[in-house]
Amino acid sequence: MPIKNRFAELLPEITEWRRDFHQHPEIGYEVHRTAARVAELLREFGVDEVTEGIGQTGVVAVIRGKSDSAGRVIGLRADMDALPITEKTGADYASRHDGAMHACGHDGHTAMLLGAARYLAETRNFDGTAVLIFQPAEEGLGGGRAMIEDGLTERWGIQEFYGMHNMPGIPVGSFAIREGGIMAASDRFEIAVTGRGGHAAAPHDVIDPVLTSAQIITALQSIVSRNVDPLKNAVVSCCVITTDSPADNVIPQTVVIRGTARSLDADVRAQLEAGITRVASGVATAMGAKADTRYVRGYPVTVNHPDETGYAVDVARKISADVDTDVAPMMGGEDFSFMLESRPGAYIFVGNGDSATLHHPEYNFSDEAIPFGASWYAGMVEARMPAA
């Protein structure tokens, strides 16, 4: 069950594109060099249309098949942005920009989809239209939502979306997927705890927001352990604590707690939102303080649709003998979820071998994974829109 031979032939060239992106990482929506290079390559390949500036800095390419008897349109998506991390791989193609690094493999995703674009533009062995989506700002800023709001789905008439992410710990050449929730909703919260500050030597004269915050942080864990169904997944993590005083002999007036809440179910998501607000307010009141909670919903659950998951599995099995169809869901967030809310589709993991984990300064994308990912992207177009 081999990869497509054309991608084996193109591997050195696709690797060169990938390593160029890796050397020049760009963060968020500021992916100007990357997007320009993507658009340049797409035009060199002879795709039918290239549109820049969708969702601020996204690029959309159109490739029409040899025929279009049924009016089918399939969307393939890759993300382009890097992370604000200083690279420590020691690679000869390491980032040239301090404090910016492709620590999640988006350089690899972009290169694989470019490889698929070249192949599809050369062969056009399908009946319909392929729309290739190069997205900015996946890392927390909602570039997928921005592209949807900019008319991505309606403007190009996309009927199904398919996306991919590399995964360390899964062997190169393998795939993993599941029907339903595969990545979590990623929300954030901020709790401002207000007491009455004063001298640290006279705690009886104050209402201590530091002690109150400690009680709130401990009590928040009861939401998952005592409110959420134990057969469902949820995470509440308090990650940042700040006060309005840097002095070690002052009990501050205010403490701010910031953190994240993750869930794989809409009802659990609502439980977390209500529970964090309730617990923070209740504990603060019991301590004589006040807690104001701001809960911000981020990326929704990434939900793979049943039929489309099956289509993705079928294509993966034509490429690899190692396809896990019941991989455990991840509690990380993914803004491909906005595309899957817009139209049916599926999101799959491709193996990246024994590299450091995602978002680690020693992470590196495995170029050996390129032919497998590019074959899957192209295979989804050919399988969903077979030549007439």
Side-chain angles (χ1 to χ4, degrees):
M1 290 182 280
I3 58 173
K4 292 183 181 294
N5 291 335
R6 182 60 174 142
F7 293 120
E9 297 169 1
L10 288 172
L11 180 57
E13 192 170 358
I14 301 174
T15 298
E16 185 178 336
W17 305 334
R18 201 280 294 183
R19 295 186 177 188
D20 175 65
F21 295 138
H22 191 90
Q23 286 182 307
H24 302 280
E26 296 173 300
I27 295 171
Y29 289 101
E30 302 301 315
V31 291
H32 303 290
R33 181 190 185 277
T34 305
R37 180 59 175 151
V38 165
E40 178 185 36
L41 286 167
L42 290 167
R43 291 186 176 104
E44 288 179 8
F45 302 159
V47 305
D48 296 294
E49 298 174 18
V50 177
T51 304
E52 299 175 70
I54 304 301
Q56 298 189 38
T57 46
V59 180
V60 177
V62 173
I63 304 173
R64 298 184 180 91
K66 292 178 179 178
S67 58
D68 187 16
S69 64
R72 299 281 296 152
V73 183
I74 299 299
L76 306 175
R77 173 270 204 171
D79 34 20
M80 298 187 289
D81 58 319
L83 284 156
I85 293 174
T86 298
E87 182 164 351
K88 295 182 180 180
T89 63
D92 56 5
Y93 51 85
S95 171
R96 296 181 181 178
H97 306 295
D98 290 340
M101 175 193 174
H102 271 293
C104 203
H106 296 185
D107 51 340
H109 305 163
T110 297
M112 290 190 293
L113 188 54
L114 283 169
R118 180 163 174 179
Y119 167 85
L120 291 169
E122 289 174 349
T123 59
R124 299 182 184 264
N125 189 33
F126 57 95
D127 179 48
T129 302
V131 179
L132 281 61
I133 303 150
F134 297 86
Q135 180 208 303
E138 190 281 325
E139 296 290 355
L141 296 178
R145 175 172 49 199
M147 294 190 83
I148 292 292
E149 291 174 347
D150 220 358
L152 173 67
T153 306
E154 294 79 13
R155 181 172 175 180
W156 281 277
I158 298 169
Q159 297 162 350
E160 296 172 18
F161 282 107
Y162 295 95
M164 177 195 304
H165 204 292
N166 77 94
M167 190 53 59
I170 298 176
V172 170
S174 62
F175 293 89
I177 193 171
R178 68 180 293 112
E179 181 183 323
I182 190 168
M183 296 191 74
S186 55
D187 302 334
R188 55 191 174 89
F189 60 86
E190 180 178 287
I191 304 169
V193 182
T194 304
R196 184 174 67 243
H199 201 293
H204 57 289
D205 290 332
V206 309
I207 297 174
D208 189 346
V210 176
L211 179 60
T212 301
S213 296
Q215 299 289 344
I216 289 172
I217 291 168
T218 300
L220 287 177
Q221 302 311 309
S222 69
I223 298 170
V224 175
S225 67
R226 287 297 177 268
N227 298 149
V228 175
D229 183 336
L231 297 179
K232 295 184 178 181
N233 303 79
V235 172
V236 175
S237 292
C238 298
C239 304
V240 179
I241 305 170
T242 57
T243 77
D244 58 6
S245 172
D248 58 10
N249 64 345
V250 172
I251 294 175
Q253 184 82 3
T254 303
V255 173
V256 176
I257 306 164
R258 296 185 1 239
T260 186
R262 306 296 174 105
S263 53
L264 286 161
D265 177 277
D267 291 339
V268 172
R269 191 182 198 187
Q271 271 189 296
L272 297 183
E273 181 173 4
I276 289 169
T277 301
R278 182 187 69 250
V279 168
S281 178
V283 172
T285 299
M287 300 288 287
K290 177 185 177 184
D292 294 307
T293 300
R294 186 169 69 96
Y295 191 98
V296 179
R297 290 199 170 202
Y299 298 168
V301 180
T302 304
V303 179
N304 281 340
H305 296 248
D307 291 345
E308 288 69 24
T309 300
Y311 305 147
V313 168
D314 289 344
V315 171
R317 283 177 169 159
K318 292 176 182 176
I319 300 165
S320 172
D322 185 3
V323 181
D324 181 357
T325 61
D326 192 27
V327 67
M330 287 184 59
M331 299 309 287
E334 167 58 62
D335 78 346
F336 187 65
S337 53
F338 293 110
M339 297 184 187
L340 293 179
E341 284 189 334
S342 172
R343 292 291 185 271
Y347 191 67
I348 197 168
F349 298 136
V350 61
N352 197 58
D354 294 325
S355 72
T357 188
L358 302 173
H359 292 213
H360 191 281
E362 295 180 0
Y363 164 86
N364 201 0
F365 181 84
S366 172
D367 293 318
E368 295 178 0
I370 287 172
F372 296 94
S375 293
W376 184 83
Y377 273 134
M380 289 309 305
V381 170
E382 293 179 340
R384 296 299 298 131
M385 301 184 293

